[in-house]
Amino acid sequence: MRKMRTLLGFVHCCCCCCFLLLLPPPLWVSLAAAKQLLRYRLAEEGPADIRIGNVASDLGIVTGSGEVTFSLESGSDYLKIDNMTGELSTTERRIDREKLPQCQMIFDENECFLDFEVSVIGPSQSWVDLFEGRVIILDINDNTPTFPSPVLTLTVEENRPADAAARSSVFELQVADTLDGEKQPQLIVKGALDREQRDSYELSLRVRDGGDPARSSQAILRVLITDVNDNSPRFEKSVYEADLAENSSPGTPILQLRAADLDVGVNGQIEYVFGAATESVRRLLRLDETSGWLSVLHRIDREEVNQLRFTVMARDRGQPPKTDKATVVLNIRDENDNVPTIDIRKIGRIPLRDGVASVAEDVLVDTPIALVQVSDRDQGENGVVTCTVVGDVPFQLKPASEGEGEPQNKRKYFLHTSAPLDYEAVRDYNVVIVAVDSGSPSLSSNNSLLVRVGDTNDNPPVFSQAVLEVSFPENNLPGERVATVVATDADSGKNAEITYSLEASPLSSEAPGGIFSINPDSGDVSVQAVLDREQRDTYEFQVTARDKGVPSLQGSTTVVVRVADRNDNEPRFMQDVFTFYVKENLQPNSPVGMVTVMDFDKGRNAELSLSIQPSDHDQAASIFSIENDTGTIFSTVSFDREQQTSYTFKVKAVDGGEPPRSATATVSLFVMDENDNAPTVTFPSNSSYTVLPPSSNMRTVVATVVATDADTGLNADLNYSIIGGNPFKLFEIDPASGVVSLVGKLAPKHYGLHRLVVQVNDSGQPPQSTTALLHVFVNESLSNATVVESQVARSLHTPLAQDIAGDPSYELSKQRLSIVIGVVAGIMIVILLILVVVMARYCRSKGKHGYEAGKKDHEDFFTPQQHDKAKKPKKDKKGKKGKQPLYSSIVTVEASKPNGQRYDSVNEKLSDSPGMGRYRSVNGGPGSPDLARHYKSSSPLPTVQLHPQSPTAGKKHQAVQDLPPANTFVGAGDNISIGSDHCSEYSCQASSKYSKQV
């Protein structure tokens, strides 16, 4: 509708001309699709079910298969769509263009439209596309033009010059076009006016629009004749334009309108009043009649009124008054005073009602479940909104469209699933969506959607046990309940209702129906026959649980029924006589054999109690014990083959039935010999030495080490080795004979004392060893035996880890030789004469008082001295204790005497030095020998293989030869580590010494 307004004097007259659009039904709508924007045209006031267009054909989508469907997401108040064909049509609600809120403030160049959204949904909503559409509402001539008042008053001056062409009447009405495109009716005076003859006229004014058919109305125009007022007011500008921030406080000045009048007096006095102004303009703005200042009367909200356009009249006070008008355009500037709004709507076939969306748990990941529209009524940056999902929920937002023309303050998103949903894990999700605008300061809002996960039959019934074993006594009554099986289903409703049935086990083809039955509702399993364990002791079948979902799911468990026994069988040993062989010196409480016994009964009737039966002629019951669970026989003592070679006793087995049943078997145990004696070195003694001339040839026999072993067989097979004191590799020992030979060429630096550490090992398992010292003095002759003996004595105080080989000061003496040779030459002759005399005397005394094998010398420093406890040791002058020789704590321990008594020698070990810590006088620590080497069983059916602990060798088996004559060191078969420390004159002390252990 085009509205035309005109003003002549103080009379307001509206003349409207409307064009009625009458189109045939096929031409009511048209489509112009661009960037997923569907555009149609529709005339207002049409009946229901008017076809607007076909969305499917306009989008190029083929319909008919039912896989693709359509859903109207917005605009459903006036529009509807066929879900299968995509046909868009009107609803029963009438469309009145003049009453649509979005069409109230439009101008002629703007269109009135209805927006809608339609979603295209793929199979099972696996994908959804959202399209926007717009229906342009076309105007029809359904409104009659009206005047502001049924009676219009207009004043006209008298003596107005008349139009020369007007003779038929006094007045004529003409319509002129204004500069702003409006129609302005003008009243033309065509005859002479004389207020004294006639002061008023009443005319009939009719207005008619341009519609078809045309509509019209009329009003009375009353013309009053007044005196002359020559000049009209004139505004400075015909159009005033200004910007006003919204929410400006009342009283805020906007602009001042100015008009001038050339008249004087009251004819030149101007007042300002609103002209063609709507009710909202008069309510929101204030116009000062005197000054023309336009100010804010009430706060203006840009979101309600974004522009005010009206006219202001300047009127003088003459009679009749003259007027002028000016147009005021007031643009409302936006402020960030609106929080974003979040509208959550349904999408596709997923229902959403009252803020609750029902989503099946089997939807695919990335399925859209709701449409989220975020908008902000502000403009510019104040209306740019970002949106996100907060919290740890399996949902995310994705833009519904990526069109460049999408407004920044109105965006649409799909709420997609980002992870699989599981009704059994989480049934409800509270999805909170937060929107924040870009204003300063920014404003935010949130909205929530409750996503209720719907159950689908995706969980089969589950039994708590994959295999259910039940013990049921034999000789039962038919119909007795055997067990109750229960399955659970994580689903709900019909999907969780379960029925039970019996089926054959996959491992057994026999159907359980003839012997067992099950209640389909409760899961009670009953037996229908009498069970006999002697005929069959186990029944196995399968119980299947099926739910009532569609499709039905099932789960199963295997039920194993074991028939309980009665005590009708006695124990049986696998053999009447068990024979075992065991080595001597086993640690007490070590296993010596195993007996096998069985009982054909079950449960308590087969629980056996084993015991050693006492005997009148021996003490086997006190020496041996037996373990019930394994039948392993243990000894409470350590065997000594020399004392007793065999043992014979009986073992009794008693079951736990009522009454108990028993059986007996005989056990024969034979004791075998083991390597419990270390080698004994008889030659040489540790304090003796051998003189070797430097001119000796290669392979010269230096000495022979002689050793013996009290054991027999491999345990007495000895081998010899040099483990220390041979840094120049000058000597070699024959492993079998013990002959020490010279294998290197002697040089001047080799002159002096060499201490060879010889180790003698037997071939037993584990091997035993003994260590001895062989001193070799390399020199042309033995001119001073006292010096050699002192060096030998010092070597006995030197740790074995330190090599003693040759003259350590040889290199230094070579440098000094040229200096002192002249001085020493004369002195040496005298000293040699003295040494010859001393050596002669010393040799005679040694011949009389030399060492004898096995004989102790109380003055020998190797022999432990008997000290008086009451007598304290003397201190030296400095108050320190006298140093004890290093080898004074090394003694030799001999083998036990037949009567079990020990020798008086002391068992020694190295406690501090890492290098010497391996010299031990024991035969070997507690080990775990294999029972197969200790005993042999004559049982043809051995049932259990044991790995018993090896006993610790008793102290009585650790003794070897006394040290003073042989000075041997007993080890456990390991090689002795020899370090490389070297001290001149063999007199330095090692950081670790031998510590004595009694």
Side-chain angles (χ1 to χ4, degrees):
M1 184 194 326
R2 183 179 299 272
K3 297 183 179 179
M4 297 166 289
R5 300 181 178 90
T6 184
L7 178 61
L8 184 59
F10 295 99
V11 180
H12 300 275
C13 178
C14 295
C15 178
C16 298
C17 180
C18 299
F19 299 93
L20 178 64
L21 179 63
L22 295 178
L23 300 175
L27 302 180
W28 280 349
V29 296
S30 63
L31 169 67
K35 296 182 179 180
Q36 297 185 345
L37 181 64
L38 303 168
R39 294 181 63 88
Y40 302 93
R41 294 182 180 273
L42 174 68
E44 65 171 332
E45 300 291 350
D49 300 326
I50 292 296
R51 181 183 181 276
I52 299 175
N54 190 283
V55 174
S57 61
D58 294 335
L59 295 176
I61 299 175
V62 179
T63 60
S65 63
E67 294 183 353
V68 179
T69 57
F70 303 86
S71 176
L72 194 65
E73 306 300 343
S74 65
S76 58
D77 292 339
Y78 298 98
L79 307 174
K80 63 181 179 180
I81 192 171
D82 189 287
N83 294 337
M84 303 302 295
T85 63
E87 193 76 22
L88 185 67
S89 59
T90 60
T91 64
E92 295 180 355
R93 186 173 180 179
R94 186 172 61 90
I95 301 176
D96 188 352
R97 182 178 182 274
E98 288 73 29
K99 292 184 178 180
L100 293 176
Q102 61 269 31
C103 300
Q104 294 296 314
M105 298 296 294
I106 66 171
F107 298 98
D108 294 337
E109 64 271 12
N110 296 327
E111 295 177 332
C112 176
F113 52 82
L114 286 174
D115 285 334
F116 67 92
E117 295 170 325
V118 62
S119 60
V120 182
I121 309 166
S124 301
Q125 198 158 341
S126 58
W127 55 267
V128 175
D129 284 336
L130 184 68
F131 297 91
E132 296 179 351
R134 178 170 290 181
V135 178
I136 308 300
I137 305 301
L138 303 177
D139 183 44
I140 64 174
N141 192 24
D142 58 343
N143 292 283
T144 302
T146 59
F147 290 96
S149 175
V151 178
L152 303 177
T153 301
L154 179 65
T155 60
V156 180
E157 299 172 354
E158 65 177 337
N159 300 324
R160 166 77 64 177
D163 189 351
R167 295 187 180 91
S168 60
S169 63
V170 179
F171 300 100
E172 180 180 352
L173 184 66
Q174 293 182 356
V175 179
D177 293 329
T178 62
L179 295 177
D180 55 1
E182 294 185 353
K183 298 292 185 179
Q184 184 180 33
Q186 297 178 348
L187 187 64
I188 307 300
V189 179
K190 304 191 67 176
L193 299 177
D194 188 355
R195 188 184 65 80
E196 287 73 22
Q197 293 182 2
R198 187 175 180 179
D199 60 357
S200 65
Y201 296 87
E202 287 191 0
L203 306 176
S204 178
L205 186 63
R206 182 183 298 273
V207 60
R208 184 180 59 186
D209 61 21
D212 186 13
R215 291 177 177 269
S216 63
S217 63
Q218 64 181 14
I220 297 175
L221 177 61
R222 183 174 295 159
V223 180
L224 302 178
I225 310 302
T226 62
D227 287 335
V228 177
N229 183 14
D230 296 338
N231 297 287
S232 298
R234 289 289 182 266
F235 280 101
E236 294 178 351
K237 296 185 293 183
S238 61
V239 178
Y240 289 85
E241 189 170 359
D243 292 336
L244 175 64
E246 68 171 327
N247 298 323
S248 296
S249 59
T252 302
I254 303 173
L255 59 86
Q256 185 180 17
L257 294 94
R258 291 188 179 91
D261 195 320
L262 298 179
D263 292 328
V264 295
V266 294
N267 292 334
Q269 295 178 1
I270 301 174
E271 59 180 359
Y272 301 90
V273 295
F274 286 112
T278 62
E279 180 63 28
S280 61
V281 173
R282 299 175 186 273
R283 178 176 56 85
L284 298 174
L285 303 178
R286 178 181 178 275
L287 181 61
D288 189 275
E289 295 182 354
T290 304
S291 63
W293 269 104
L294 187 67
S295 60
V296 177
L297 182 60
H298 293 94
R299 293 182 182 272
I300 302 175
D301 188 358
R302 189 205 63 82
E303 287 71 37
E304 294 182 358
V305 179
N306 60 1
Q307 187 185 69
L308 293 176
R309 188 170 184 173
F310 54 93
T311 60
V312 174
M313 304 292 295
R315 181 176 61 192
D316 61 21
R317 297 181 184 275
Q319 289 297 329
K322 290 185 177 292
T323 62
D324 191 14
K325 73 171 183 177
T327 301
V328 178
V329 178
L330 190 59
N331 297 313
I332 310 302
R333 188 172 64 252
D334 182 55
E335 297 289 337
N336 191 26
D337 60 341
N338 291 278
V339 298
T341 58
I342 303 174
D343 184 22
I344 303 176
R345 307 197 305 268
K346 69 174 262 326
I347 187 71
R349 290 188 290 269
I350 294 180
L352 191 154
R353 186 177 293 106
D354 298 330
V356 179
S358 299
V359 182
E361 64 175 329
D362 59 349
V363 297
L364 300 177
V365 176
D366 204 31
T367 298
I369 64 169
L371 177 64
V372 179
Q373 179 172 313
V374 183
S375 60
D376 196 316
R377 298 178 65 189
D378 296 321
Q379 287 183 332
E381 289 296 324
N382 297 331
V384 177
V385 181
T386 57
C387 189
T388 184
V389 176
V390 299
D392 186 14
V393 292
F395 302 97
Q396 62 181 354
L397 291 174
K398 292 186 178 180
S401 62
E402 298 180 355
E404 297 180 357
E406 184 180 13
Q408 294 292 324
N409 63 342
K410 185 178 181 181
R411 292 185 176 181
K412 297 175 183 177
Y413 301 88
F414 284 140
L415 183 63
H416 286 251
T417 58
S418 60
L421 304 181
D422 189 354
Y423 170 84
E424 290 71 34
V426 180
R427 300 188 178 186
D428 294 316
Y429 292 96
N430 186 26
V431 182
V432 179
I433 302 173
V434 176
V436 182
D437 63 22
S438 301
S440 180
S442 62
L443 301 177
S444 64
S445 64
N446 63 77
N447 197 356
S448 62
L449 173 68
L450 180 62
V451 178
R452 185 155 292 162
V453 182
D455 181 41
T456 57
N457 193 26
D458 59 343
N459 289 279
V462 177
F463 290 93
S464 59
Q465 295 175 277
V467 177
L468 176 63
E469 294 190 3
V470 180
S471 178
F472 190 72
E474 61 179 335
N475 301 325
N476 59 284
L477 295 176
E480 287 189 34
R481 185 180 66 86
V482 177
T484 300
V485 292
V486 177
T488 58
D489 196 314
D491 296 322
S492 61
K494 285 287 185 181
N495 297 332
E497 295 182 7
I498 300 174
T499 58
Y500 301 92
S501 62
L502 293 182
E503 297 179 4
S505 172
L507 302 178
S508 175
S509 59
E510 181 182 356
I515 302 176
F516 298 95
S517 64
I518 191 170
N519 187 303
D521 297 325
S522 64
D524 289 339
V525 179
S526 303
V527 61
Q528 306 300 321
V530 178
L531 304 181
D532 187 356
R533 195 200 67 82
E534 282 70 28
Q535 294 182 3
R536 184 173 179 180
D537 60 352
T538 303
Y539 294 88
E540 183 174 327
F541 52 88
Q542 186 171 285
V543 176
T544 301
R546 294 180 177 85
D547 61 26
K548 296 182 180 179
V550 177
S552 177
L553 300 178
Q554 68 181 32
S556 62
T557 183
T558 300
V559 178
V560 179
V561 179
R562 304 193 183 279
V563 183
D565 182 54
R566 296 181 181 272
N567 190 25
D568 54 354
N569 292 280
E570 63 183 15
R572 286 186 56 188
F573 285 94
M574 296 298 296
Q575 298 173 231
D576 294 334
V577 178
F578 293 88
T579 303
F580 305 108
Y581 296 85
V582 61
K583 288 188 176 182
E584 63 176 331
N585 299 326
L586 274 181
Q587 185 179 3
N589 297 321
S590 296
V592 297
M594 177 186 293
V595 297
T596 305
V597 63
M598 62 181 61
D599 195 315
F600 291 105
D601 293 326
K602 298 292 182 179
R604 188 175 181 82
N605 296 331
E607 293 180 0
L608 301 178
S609 176
L610 302 178
S611 61
I612 304 296
Q613 294 299 299
S615 177
D616 296 336
H617 60 276
D618 58 22
Q619 299 179 352
S622 61
I623 297 176
F624 299 97
S625 62
I626 190 168
E627 189 178 70
N628 273 336
D629 297 334
T630 62
T632 303
I633 300 173
F634 295 88
S635 65
T636 60
V637 298
S638 178
F639 300 112
D640 189 350
R641 190 185 62 84
E642 289 73 21
Q643 294 183 5
Q644 187 171 345
T645 60
S646 64
Y647 299 86
T648 302
F649 53 89
K650 290 186 177 296
V651 176
K652 183 177 182 180
V654 181
D655 64 22
E658 290 293 338
R661 296 175 178 270
S662 63
T664 59
T666 301
V667 176
S668 296
L669 181 67
F670 296 93
V671 182
M672 300 176 63
D673 186 36
E674 70 169 0
N675 186 26
D676 57 349
N677 292 282
T680 301
V681 177
T682 60
F683 180 84
S685 65
N686 290 335
S687 60
S688 63
Y689 63 92
T690 300
V691 179
L692 179 66
S695 59
S696 299
N697 296 325
M698 302 283 286
R699 296 297 175 184
T700 298
V701 176
V702 178
T704 301
V705 179
V706 180
T708 61
D709 196 311
D711 294 323
T712 59
L714 289 177
N715 296 335
D717 186 10
L718 304 180
N719 60 81
Y720 303 84
S721 62
I722 298 175
I723 63 174
N726 192 21
F728 302 112
K729 306 299 181 182
L730 298 175
F731 304 99
E732 186 180 81
I733 190 170
D734 186 272
S737 63
V739 176
V740 179
S741 304
L742 178 66
V743 294
K745 185 176 181 181
L746 295 175
K749 65 178 179 179
H750 300 147
Y751 286 20
L753 184 66
H754 293 257
R755 183 186 64 182
L756 301 180
V757 182
V758 179
Q759 180 172 295
V760 183
N761 297 288
D762 61 22
S763 300
Q765 291 296 329
Q768 301 283 350
S769 66
T770 298
T771 304
L773 301 180
L774 174 61
H775 292 90
V776 179
F777 185 72
V778 178
N779 202 7
E780 294 291 347
S781 62
L782 187 62
S783 60
N784 193 346
T786 304
V787 176
V788 179
E789 291 176 357
S790 64
Q791 291 182 3
V792 172
R794 284 198 302 270
S795 77
L796 298 178
H797 291 75
T798 304
L800 298 181
Q802 179 177 336
D803 289 335
I804 298 176
D807 186 3
S809 59
Y810 172 75
E811 296 296 334
L812 183 61
S813 63
K814 285 176 60 178
Q815 299 177 2
R816 299 176 180 176
L817 182 61
S818 60
I819 301 173
V820 299
I821 190 170
V823 179
V824 176
I827 299 173
M828 287 299 296
I829 298 173
V830 178
I831 294 176
L832 288 175
L833 294 175
I834 298 173
L835 287 176
V836 171
V837 176
V838 173
M839 288 296 293
R841 292 180 178 180
Y842 180 74
C843 290
R844 286 196 296 270
S845 63
K846 281 296 277 188
K848 297 177 180 181
H849 302 90
Y851 289 105
E852 295 181 11
K855 182 178 180 181
K856 298 181 181 179
D857 190 351
H858 293 287
E859 295 179 359
D860 195 348
F861 64 93
F862 282 94
T863 306
Q865 299 297 324
Q866 300 295 330
H867 298 288
D868 189 357
K869 296 182 179 179
K871 184 177 180 180
K872 298 182 179 179
K874 294 181 181 180
K875 298 183 179 179
D876 56 6
K877 295 179 180 180
K878 295 183 180 180
K880 298 181 179 179
K881 295 181 179 180
K883 294 183 178 179
Q884 185 179 2
L886 289 176
Y887 285 102
S888 64
S889 61
I890 302 178
V891 297
T892 303
V893 184
E894 297 183 356
S896 62
K897 296 180 179 181
N899 58 3
Q901 297 178 356
R902 294 185 298 174
Y903 290 101
D904 296 333
S905 57
V906 181
N907 181 22
E908 300 293 322
K909 70 175 183 179
L910 304 181
S911 60
D912 297 327
S913 173
M916 299 298 293
R918 298 174 62 186
Y919 288 90
R920 304 180 61 186
S921 59
V922 296
N923 294 353
S928 300
D930 190 354
L931 277 178
R933 295 185 302 160
H934 289 272
Y935 65 90
K936 297 180 180 178
S937 174
S938 61
S939 172
L941 299 174
T943 58
V944 180
Q945 182 178 0
L946 297 181
H947 298 280
Q949 297 293 327
S950 173
T952 304
K955 292 184 178 180
K956 62 180 182 177
H957 301 290
Q958 300 175 4
V960 292
Q961 180 181 353
D962 287 343
L963 269 179
N967 195 25
T968 58
F969 303 93
V970 181
D974 297 334
N975 290 332
I976 300 175
S977 300
I978 303 298
S980 60
D981 296 340
H982 186 80
C983 297
S984 62
E985 299 299 329
Y986 322 119
S987 61
C988 67
Q989 299 296 325
S991 60
S992 60
K993 298 182 179 181
Y994 299 102
S995 62
K996 187 176 296 184
Q997 180 180 2
V998 181

